[in-house]
């Protein structure tokens, strides 16, 4: 812990720049990274994409909206499969494979291992979500696992019941932007799927290879081509 003099001093310009950069990256890069992974998986899994599209259009019809109406935030709240798609994306492709490290306050034993006082502890977020002891077919993109009867039914990303995936961390230091991030992801995914049919281009298929940067991104970023070309997206309607 810093001493009183250290904790009360003014921040330097370099420290301010670093903190602002972290705030901006943590609030934008994580969401954009997660969105790209989800759309990549939907492109590679047309069955899932089509099922999601039908849920979106059905929700709009029930509210009396026409096919040309934009998806509203209120409508996304009543789409369980949309939420399942986002959760499956965060399980398989968490933007950060590690959360902020913690420090052991005292000697403790976890799983037969001694964690000495003062040791830094990192949580392997991606490995948790891909653990075959906890998840059926963990490397497959199966949103149905988060619906009733699935092996992920009732999973809470806040860790209030049990910790099987923690893309936002858990406990007192859980990401403060969890609610906004989930809202943005559900809304953006619904908008993109409603308006476009996402397809792979023969010879230029989607590559799910990972690349560690500030977040863990796609080594070959998802790229959308113009409609007049041989395209990766098609207008719906």
């Amino acid at each position: 812990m810093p001493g009183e003099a250290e904790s009360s001093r003014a921040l330097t310009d370099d420290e301010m720049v670093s903190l602002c950069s972290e705030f901006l990256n943590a609030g934008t890069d994580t969401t954009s990274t997660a969105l790209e992974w989800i759309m990549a998986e939907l492109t590679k899994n047309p069955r899932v994409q089509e099922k999601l599209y039908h849920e979106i259009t059905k929700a709009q019809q029930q509210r009396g909206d026409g096919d040309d109406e934009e998806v509203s935030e209120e409508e996304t709240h009543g789409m369980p499969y949309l939420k399942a798609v986002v959760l499956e994306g965060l399980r398989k492709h968490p933007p950060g494979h590690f959360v902020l490290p913690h420090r052991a306050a005292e000697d403790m034993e976890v799983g037969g291992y001694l964690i000495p006082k003062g040791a830094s502890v990192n949580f392997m977020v991606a490995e948790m979500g891909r653990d075959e002891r906890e998840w059926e077919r963990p490397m497959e993109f199966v949103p149905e696992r988060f619906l009733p009867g699935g092996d992920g039914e009732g999973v809470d990303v806040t860790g209030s019941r049990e910790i099987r995936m923690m893309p936002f961390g858990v406990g007192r230091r859980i990401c403060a932007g969890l609610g906004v991030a989930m809202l943005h992801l559900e809304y953006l995914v619904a908008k993109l799927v409603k308006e476009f049919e996402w397809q792979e281009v023969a010879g230029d298929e989607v590559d799910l290879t990972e690349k560690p940067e500030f977040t863990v991104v796609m080594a070959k970023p998802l790229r959308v081509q113009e409609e007049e070309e041989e395209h990766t997206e098609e207008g719906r309607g």
Side-chain angles (χ1 to χ4, degrees):
M1 296 294 290
E4 183 177 348
E6 175 70 11
S7 62
S8 61
R9 70 172 176 80
L11 293 172
T12 66
D13 288 347
D14 286 345
E15 288 171 335
M16 287 291 291
V17 169
S18 178
L19 287 171
C20 289
S21 176
E22 289 180 11
F23 293 151
L24 290 171
N25 284 331
T28 57
D29 277 16
T30 49
T31 302
S32 62
T33 298
L35 177 63
E36 185 175 25
W37 280 115
I38 293 169
M39 296 310 302
E41 288 284 3
L42 289 174
T43 303
K44 292 191 73 69
N45 294 274
R47 177 196 65 80
V48 174
Q49 183 183 163
E50 191 65 20
K51 184 174 180 178
L52 176 57
Y53 175 72
H54 285 305
E55 180 183 65
I56 295 168
T57 55
K58 182 178 180 181
Q60 289 197 298
Q61 290 169 359
Q62 289 176 342
R63 287 177 60 91
D65 292 339
D67 290 340
D68 58 342
E69 293 291 329
E70 293 187 359
V71 179
S72 68
E73 175 190 336
E74 291 75 17
E75 286 168 339
T76 64
H77 298 324
M79 299 181 188
Y81 195 65
L82 171 63
K83 185 176 293 293
V85 166
V86 171
L87 287 174
E88 180 71 341
L90 291 171
R91 178 197 67 81
K92 188 180 176 188
H93 303 287
H97 284 204
F98 298 92
V99 292
L100 293 176
H102 293 65
R103 188 179 299 276
E106 58 186 28
D107 289 350
M108 62 183 66
E109 186 175 309
V110 179
Y113 294 91
L114 173 65
I115 310 297
K117 178 181 179 179
S120 293
V121 179
N122 279 290
F123 294 88
M124 302 177 71
V125 177
E127 295 302 319
M128 290 181 182
R130 302 171 181 176
D131 189 345
E132 61 183 10
R133 296 170 297 182
E134 291 290 331
W135 304 93
E136 298 176 6
R137 297 174 292 160
M139 297 312 295
E140 295 183 27
F141 190 78
V142 187
E144 285 80 4
R145 72 175 79 248
F146 290 101
L147 299 178
D151 62 316
E153 180 183 4
V155 168
D156 178 13
V157 293
T158 68
S160 63
R161 289 189 289 272
E162 59 176 337
I163 301 175
R164 297 178 61 197
M165 57 183 283
M166 48 185 290
F168 298 97
V170 293
R172 292 179 296 172
R173 294 176 179 81
I174 193 170
C175 175
L178 186 158
V180 174
M182 291 296 291
L183 172 62
H184 284 172
L185 287 173
E186 291 174 12
Y187 181 69
L188 291 171
V189 169
K191 289 273 289 182
L192 290 171
V193 171
K194 167 69 188 313
E195 298 298 329
F196 302 101
E197 181 177 359
W198 297 74
Q199 301 175 344
E200 289 186 295
V201 172
D204 190 21
E205 287 78 10
V206 173
D207 184 352
L208 298 180
T209 303
E210 298 174 343
K211 178 183 178 182
E213 293 185 353
F214 178 78
T215 55
V216 178
V217 300
M218 298 180 68
K220 182 182 177 182
L222 198 63
R223 182 170 60 90
V224 179
Q225 296 182 5
E226 297 294 334
E227 187 172 356
E228 60 267 25
E229 300 177 15
E230 195 174 358
H231 47 280
T232 54
E233 66 168 24
E234 272 187 8
R236 292 189 186 268

